[in-house]
Amino acid sequence: MTTRTYLDVHVLQSVPPSCINRDDTGSPKSAVYGGVRRARVSSQAWKRATREAFKDLLPEKDRGVRTKRVVEMVSSGISRSQTGAGLQREQVEELAVAVVAATGLKLTKARNSERQDTEFLVLVSAQQASALAELAVAALEAAGDVAGAKATLGTAESKKQAKRVLQQGNSVDLALFGRMVANDTDLNVDATCQVAHALSIHAAGTEFDYFTAVDDLKERSEDEGSGDGDAGAGMIGTIEFTSATLYRYATINVEALVAALGSRELAEEGIVAFLTAFVRSMPTGKQNTFANNTLPEAVVVSLREDQAVSYVGAFEEPISSSKGYALLGAARLAEFAGEVADAYGVEPVRSWVVGVGAVGEALASVGTRGSFATLPREVAGIAVARVAEPA
């Protein structure tokens, strides 16, 4: 049974005028690739959209929270316990601060508040937060009072226990996307999923939407003949936008995911959730303004046992067309996939294709065509079955 199993996800998706991912000046993000300026959506933006979609795909116990308010999460767990229910709020917070500090996470006073927050955003699973609360409650029950519990949580043994809590019980999103704690690398979790920045498969520039807004009451008063004589707009502004057909890519190290979660069953559910969320999600920047609610024209999922392989090179030479890009992009992708397999002597173990109309037909040589409704479950089951149960 092989232990080298990768799932590559390739997506072609057309997005109409939109500004789903902005830089610090409000302009749509971009990058130069192949010598031309392309539209770009950062990996962080699409990972965030994917994690948000997990709320509808995974139970709370299998999800994490990225926050500075870890103390609040632990406080809630302490308060829900029978022992902690009788404590005052300040005592609960003292216990929560003590146990979170014992993990090695550095705490600092929140701005304009007495609340203690972690120095940086930390992705913590619901299971880890509950386990920290249980550790604090156990210390309280053993010591008999809050002061004694705090002293216990400050011992070397308790610190080891607290650190171990954050080294196990990973949620699906924590196992997929990882965690980095700069001041304590023992708390780091290696990501088992990589997500590329989405790039347009053609040159793409920025355009400007000049808009005005009317003051409803002023308009009414002028209609009624008030004589104000002010025909000016109530507001004038511009919004930058772009439109593009994007190539999106992500890959999962299935063996590493199973090990990070400690369960083949949970890994399978995680892959189903990731494939569903990554393909169907959309970053929400300016979505109410542009309503850019599209689904991909094509999705290719490849199961590999050699290494993860992106097909972005298919678009290093930008596509030039006045009749659309998706169909030409699919043909380029299919041709490039075959050329890579021939040149390097590597080929996916199996590939699945979902495509709309002629775009899907252009990818017939890449893999078996089907419906996305059944693809995530089928792919996850086959991929996880190739990996041994974790010890």
Side-chain angles (χ1 to χ4, degrees), residues 106-127:
K106 186 176 180 180
L107 297 175
T108 184
K109 183 180 176 182
R111 183 186 301 177
N112 301 323
S113 172
E114 295 301 316
R115 187 181 68 246
Q116 291 290 311
D117 286 349
T118 55
E119 188 176 13
F120 306 106
L121 288 169
V122 182
L123 184 54
V124 178
S125 72
Q127 185 177 339

mmCIF file of all heavy atoms in Angstrom, residues 106-127:
data_model
loop_
_atom_site.group_PDB
_atom_site.id
_atom_site.type_symbol
_atom_site.label_atom_id
_atom_site.label_comp_id
_atom_site.label_asym_id
_atom_site.label_seq_id
_atom_site.Cartn_x
_atom_site.Cartn_y
_atom_site.Cartn_z
ATOM 1 N N LYS A 106 2.030 33.725 23.878
ATOM 2 C CA LYS A 106 2.274 34.985 24.563
ATOM 3 C C LYS A 106 1.004 35.819 24.580
ATOM 4 O O LYS A 106 0.335 35.980 23.556
ATOM 5 C CB LYS A 106 3.397 35.764 23.875
ATOM 6 C CG LYS A 106 3.816 37.019 24.612
ATOM 7 C CD LYS A 106 4.995 37.692 23.924
ATOM 8 C CE LYS A 106 5.408 38.967 24.675
ATOM 9 N NZ LYS A 106 6.562 39.639 24.011
ATOM 10 N N LEU A 107 0.645 36.341 25.763
ATOM 11 C CA LEU A 107 -0.559 37.132 25.912
ATOM 12 C C LEU A 107 -0.210 38.600 26.076
ATOM 13 O O LEU A 107 0.839 38.965 26.613
ATOM 14 C CB LEU A 107 -1.370 36.659 27.120
ATOM 15 C CG LEU A 107 -1.907 35.227 27.042
ATOM 16 C CD1 LEU A 107 -2.588 34.832 28.341
ATOM 17 C CD2 LEU A 107 -2.880 35.081 25.873
ATOM 18 N N THR A 108 -1.119 39.446 25.627
ATOM 19 C CA THR A 108 -0.936 40.885 25.751
ATOM 20 C C THR A 108 -2.285 41.536 25.974
ATOM 21 O O THR A 108 -3.323 40.986 25.585
ATOM 22 C CB THR A 108 -0.276 41.465 24.477
ATOM 23 O OG1 THR A 108 -0.028 42.858 24.653
ATOM 24 C CG2 THR A 108 -1.153 41.263 23.256
ATOM 25 N N LYS A 109 -2.291 42.701 26.608
ATOM 26 C CA LYS A 109 -3.535 43.403 26.892
ATOM 27 C C LYS A 109 -4.143 43.938 25.606
ATOM 28 O O LYS A 109 -3.459 44.560 24.793
ATOM 29 C CB LYS A 109 -3.265 44.557 27.863
ATOM 30 C CG LYS A 109 -4.509 45.313 28.288
ATOM 31 C CD LYS A 109 -4.148 46.433 29.261
ATOM 32 C CE LYS A 109 -5.363 47.274 29.623
ATOM 33 N NZ LYS A 109 -4.996 48.392 30.523
ATOM 34 N N ALA A 110 -5.430 43.662 25.403
ATOM 35 C CA ALA A 110 -6.113 44.120 24.199
ATOM 36 C C ALA A 110 -6.253 45.637 24.210
ATOM 37 O O ALA A 110 -6.316 46.273 25.265
ATOM 38 C CB ALA A 110 -7.500 43.471 24.099
ATOM 39 N N ARG A 111 -6.317 46.218 23.027
ATOM 40 C CA ARG A 111 -6.466 47.667 22.917
ATOM 41 C C ARG A 111 -7.821 48.107 23.465
ATOM 42 O O ARG A 111 -8.852 47.506 23.175
ATOM 43 C CB ARG A 111 -6.351 48.088 21.447
ATOM 44 C CG ARG A 111 -6.419 49.593 21.220
ATOM 45 C CD ARG A 111 -6.443 49.924 19.745
ATOM 46 N NE ARG A 111 -5.273 49.419 19.045
ATOM 47 C CZ ARG A 111 -5.097 49.544 17.728
ATOM 48 N NH1 ARG A 111 -6.032 50.126 16.979
ATOM 49 N NH2 ARG A 111 -3.998 49.061 17.158
ATOM 50 N N ASN A 112 -7.807 49.140 24.298
ATOM 51 C CA ASN A 112 -9.027 49.726 24.883
ATOM 52 C C ASN A 112 -9.842 48.701 25.669
ATOM 53 O O ASN A 112 -11.075 48.751 25.697
ATOM 54 C CB ASN A 112 -9.915 50.342 23.785
ATOM 55 C CG ASN A 112 -9.197 51.429 23.007
ATOM 56 O OD1 ASN A 112 -8.420 52.197 23.587
ATOM 57 N ND2 ASN A 112 -9.449 51.507 21.715
ATOM 58 N N SER A 113 -9.159 47.743 26.281
ATOM 59 C CA SER A 113 -9.869 46.713 27.041
ATOM 60 C C SER A 113 -8.907 46.092 28.037
ATOM 61 O O SER A 113 -7.690 46.147 27.881
ATOM 62 C CB SER A 113 -10.418 45.633 26.095
ATOM 63 O OG SER A 113 -10.946 44.550 26.818
ATOM 64 N N GLU A 114 -9.473 45.490 29.080
ATOM 65 C CA GLU A 114 -8.666 44.749 30.045
ATOM 66 C C GLU A 114 -8.489 43.295 29.625
ATOM 67 O O GLU A 114 -7.825 42.523 30.302
ATOM 68 C CB GLU A 114 -9.345 44.805 31.432
ATOM 69 C CG GLU A 114 -9.407 46.212 32.038
ATOM 70 C CD GLU A 114 -8.026 46.819 32.219
ATOM 71 O OE1 GLU A 114 -7.116 46.114 32.682
ATOM 72 O OE2 GLU A 114 -7.854 48.009 31.877
ATOM 73 N N ARG A 115 -9.083 42.926 28.503
ATOM 74 C CA ARG A 115 -9.035 41.552 28.028
ATOM 75 C C ARG A 115 -7.605 41.166 27.652
ATOM 76 O O ARG A 115 -6.850 41.958 27.087
ATOM 77 C CB ARG A 115 -9.942 41.413 26.806
ATOM 78 C CG ARG A 115 -10.118 39.993 26.313
ATOM 79 C CD ARG A 115 -11.009 39.938 25.077
ATOM 80 N NE ARG A 115 -10.370 40.558 23.928
ATOM 81 C CZ ARG A 115 -10.795 41.665 23.344
ATOM 82 N NH1 ARG A 115 -11.869 42.296 23.809
ATOM 83 N NH2 ARG A 115 -10.160 42.172 22.316
ATOM 84 N N GLN A 116 -7.236 39.926 27.937
ATOM 85 C CA GLN A 116 -5.932 39.393 27.565
ATOM 86 C C GLN A 116 -6.073 38.597 26.256
ATOM 87 O O GLN A 116 -6.823 37.623 26.189
ATOM 88 C CB GLN A 116 -5.375 38.487 28.671
ATOM 89 C CG GLN A 116 -4.982 39.224 29.937
ATOM 90 C CD GLN A 116 -3.744 40.087 29.719
ATOM 91 O OE1 GLN A 116 -2.738 39.642 29.195
ATOM 92 N NE2 GLN A 116 -3.841 41.350 30.142
ATOM 93 N N ASP A 117 -5.369 39.026 25.233
ATOM 94 C CA ASP A 117 -5.393 38.362 23.927
ATOM 95 C C ASP A 117 -4.034 37.754 23.626
ATOM 96 O O ASP A 117 -3.013 38.171 24.187
ATOM 97 C CB ASP A 117 -5.731 39.365 22.820
ATOM 98 C CG ASP A 117 -7.188 39.779 22.816
ATOM 99 O OD1 ASP A 117 -7.987 39.136 23.531
ATOM 100 O OD2 ASP A 117 -7.519 40.731 22.100
ATOM 101 N N THR A 118 -4.018 36.788 22.711
ATOM 102 C CA THR A 118 -2.733 36.304 22.221
ATOM 103 C C THR A 118 -2.097 37.388 21.356
ATOM 104 O O THR A 118 -2.794 38.230 20.775
ATOM 105 C CB THR A 118 -2.896 35.016 21.398
ATOM 106 O OG1 THR A 118 -3.830 35.243 20.334
ATOM 107 C CG2 THR A 118 -3.397 33.876 22.269
ATOM 108 N N GLU A 119 -0.779 37.367 21.289
ATOM 109 C CA GLU A 119 -0.062 38.419 20.567
ATOM 110 C C GLU A 119 -0.412 38.415 19.082
ATOM 111 O O GLU A 119 -0.479 39.464 18.435
ATOM 112 C CB GLU A 119 1.442 38.234 20.753
ATOM 113 C CG GLU A 119 2.282 39.371 20.198
ATOM 114 C CD GLU A 119 3.759 39.189 20.505
ATOM 115 O OE1 GLU A 119 4.160 38.083 20.919
ATOM 116 O OE2 GLU A 119 4.513 40.171 20.309
ATOM 117 N N PHE A 120 -0.631 37.225 18.514
ATOM 118 C CA PHE A 120 -0.956 37.100 17.100
ATOM 119 C C PHE A 120 -2.209 36.244 16.944
ATOM 120 O O PHE A 120 -2.621 35.537 17.867
ATOM 121 C CB PHE A 120 0.203 36.435 16.339
ATOM 122 C CG PHE A 120 1.529 37.111 16.527
ATOM 123 C CD1 PHE A 120 2.511 36.537 17.318
ATOM 124 C CD2 PHE A 120 1.790 38.328 15.922
ATOM 125 C CE1 PHE A 120 3.736 37.155 17.498
ATOM 126 C CE2 PHE A 120 3.008 38.964 16.090
ATOM 127 C CZ PHE A 120 3.980 38.378 16.880
ATOM 128 N N LEU A 121 -2.807 36.317 15.762
ATOM 129 C CA LEU A 121 -3.918 35.425 15.456
ATOM 130 C C LEU A 121 -3.444 33.977 15.509
ATOM 131 O O LEU A 121 -2.382 33.642 14.987
ATOM 132 C CB LEU A 121 -4.474 35.721 14.061
ATOM 133 C CG LEU A 121 -5.268 37.019 13.888
ATOM 134 C CD1 LEU A 121 -5.503 37.291 12.409
ATOM 135 C CD2 LEU A 121 -6.592 36.941 14.624
ATOM 136 N N VAL A 122 -4.241 33.129 16.135
ATOM 137 C CA VAL A 122 -3.886 31.720 16.285
ATOM 138 C C VAL A 122 -5.090 30.872 15.857
ATOM 139 O O VAL A 122 -6.227 31.147 16.269
ATOM 140 C CB VAL A 122 -3.514 31.380 17.741
ATOM 141 C CG1 VAL A 122 -3.102 29.921 17.861
ATOM 142 C CG2 VAL A 122 -2.394 32.281 18.243
ATOM 143 N N LEU A 123 -4.847 29.874 15.043
ATOM 144 C CA LEU A 123 -5.908 28.937 14.663
ATOM 145 C C LEU A 123 -5.951 27.818 15.695
ATOM 146 O O LEU A 123 -4.988 27.072 15.861
ATOM 147 C CB LEU A 123 -5.644 28.373 13.267
ATOM 148 C CG LEU A 123 -6.706 27.439 12.674
ATOM 149 C CD1 LEU A 123 -8.081 28.090 12.679
ATOM 150 C CD2 LEU A 123 -6.315 27.031 11.254
ATOM 151 N N VAL A 124 -7.068 27.747 16.404
ATOM 152 C CA VAL A 124 -7.237 26.784 17.494
ATOM 153 C C VAL A 124 -8.495 25.971 17.229
ATOM 154 O O VAL A 124 -9.545 26.521 16.872
ATOM 155 C CB VAL A 124 -7.353 27.504 18.856
ATOM 156 C CG1 VAL A 124 -7.575 26.510 19.980
ATOM 157 C CG2 VAL A 124 -6.102 28.332 19.126
ATOM 158 N N SER A 125 -8.411 24.662 17.400
ATOM 159 C CA SER A 125 -9.584 23.819 17.186
ATOM 160 C C SER A 125 -10.500 23.884 18.400
ATOM 161 O O SER A 125 -10.072 24.194 19.520
ATOM 162 C CB SER A 125 -9.166 22.367 16.933
ATOM 163 O OG SER A 125 -8.695 21.755 18.131
ATOM 164 N N ALA A 126 -11.773 23.588 18.180
ATOM 165 C CA ALA A 126 -12.734 23.551 19.277
ATOM 166 C C ALA A 126 -12.324 22.493 20.300
ATOM 167 O O ALA A 126 -12.469 22.688 21.520
ATOM 168 C CB ALA A 126 -14.128 23.253 18.726
ATOM 169 N N GLN A 127 -11.778 21.387 19.824
ATOM 170 C CA GLN A 127 -11.327 20.317 20.711
ATOM 171 C C GLN A 127 -10.168 20.787 21.590
ATOM 172 O O GLN A 127 -10.112 20.470 22.790
ATOM 173 C CB GLN A 127 -10.897 19.104 19.882
ATOM 174 C CG GLN A 127 -10.518 17.882 20.708
ATOM 175 C CD GLN A 127 -10.179 16.692 19.834
ATOM 176 O OE1 GLN A 127 -10.570 16.626 18.671
ATOM 177 N NE2 GLN A 127 -9.445 15.741 20.381
#
